[in-house]
Structures are given as structure tokens and as C-alpha cells.
Amino acid sequence: MITLSPDDPGGGTLRDLAPDLTPMLDILFILLVFFMLTAGAVFHSLDLTLPSSVEEEVTLVNEPKHILLEIREAGYGLDGTDFATFEGLKKALAKAHDAKPDYEMIVAGDKHISIEKLLKVLTYLRSRGIEAANILMQKEPDQ
């Protein structure tokens, strides 16, 4: 228990032991001014008409701009359509390239196909005037 006597040699009073509230009042005043200024702020907004369905917009944006040519051991594939012979592939490839001349050609080959089969397809693409054909490859994991 702390007792203060009037004849204290240090001249201490109860006021000397009380905490100084001036810094706390300064902080409260700054916070009060901040909240008053931000509460009255007018946020500017634009009148926008948003699309009703986002899925329709996303599918149009992500439309693929390529023709996928798959070379398999047992045949070929062109954008998901299977072909057993090279002649069938050539006819379908001519139609696809004529219909979409600005699309890029991506060649994906099975790792077990022969080089001759790949070269036959690349030679045919070259004869059709398709200069740049991207070859899809799978990266080998680091060993």
C-alpha cells in the first residue's frame, strides 16, 4: 500500500504517480480526424452493364487457334478425329487447313512412332505450304 504524507521529503503528490494521458489523447484525436475524413469520402463509380453469364465470354476468349495433328502407332488423329490411313489424314488435313488457314499446326507424336512416319507427315505439311509446324514434346523428368 502506498501512502503519501504531506511532509514527504521528495515533495511527491498523488498527481505525480498518475499516468500522463496527453499522448493517448493525441492519438485518439488523430484517429477521430482520420475516421471523420474517410467516412465522408465519396467514392466515384462507373455505370457498367456486366454480362449476365461469364462462362460464355470465357469460352470465346479461350478459343483455340490451332489444329492438332497426332501421329500414333496405329494411325493418325486430327483435332480428335481418328484416321487409320495416311490418305484419309491427307484429305482431312487439306480440308482443315483450307477452312482455317490462319491457324497454326501442332504436331504431337507418340514416342514410339518411327522417324519415317514423322518425316512423311512433315514432308506432306511442307508440300501443302505449311512452313511452321510446332512439334509438341513432353519434357523428360530430371534424373
Side-chain angles (χ1 to χ4, degrees), residues 15-65:
R15 253 188 300 175
D16 291 339
L17 293 177
D20 187 15
L21 298 179
T22 306
M24 185 179 72
L25 290 175
D26 288 344
I27 291 174
L28 287 175
F29 179 71
I30 291 171
L31 287 174
L32 178 69
V33 169
F34 173 75
F35 287 127
M36 285 174 50
L37 291 176
T38 57
V42 177
F43 296 105
H44 299 286
S45 64
L46 300 173
D47 277 337
L48 295 177
T49 305
L50 298 176
S52 59
S53 175
V54 178
E55 292 176 13
E56 294 173 5
E57 297 297 323
V58 171
T59 56
L60 293 177
V61 171
N62 293 330
E63 182 180 347
K65 296 285 186 184

Side-chain angles (χ1 to χ4, degrees), residues 68 106-109 134-138:
L68 180 63
I106 297 178
V107 179
N134 298 318
I135 299 176
L136 187 65
M137 299 178 70
Q138 182 177 3

Side-chain angles (χ1 to χ4, degrees), residues 67 69-71 76 86 89-90 93 105-109 113-137:
I67 301 171
L69 171 60
E70 299 173 65
I71 306 172
Y76 304 92
F86 185 64
L89 174 71
K90 288 190 336 187
L93 189 58
M105 182 70 60
I106 297 178
V107 179
I113 64 165
S114 64
I115 295 293
E116 291 84 16
K117 199 170 187 178
L118 175 65
L119 288 176
K120 183 164 68 168
V121 170
L122 292 176
T123 304
Y124 177 73
L125 290 176
R126 176 93 170 167
S127 71
R128 291 280 305 158
I130 303 171
E131 296 291 328
N134 298 318
I135 299 176
L136 187 65
M137 299 178 70

Side-chain angles (χ1 to χ4, degrees), residues 65 67 94-105 129-130:
K65 296 285 186 184
I67 301 171
K95 289 179 187 175
H97 187 259
D98 291 341
K100 304 172 188 176
D102 56 335
Y103 281 31
E104 65 180 10
M105 182 70 60
I130 303 171

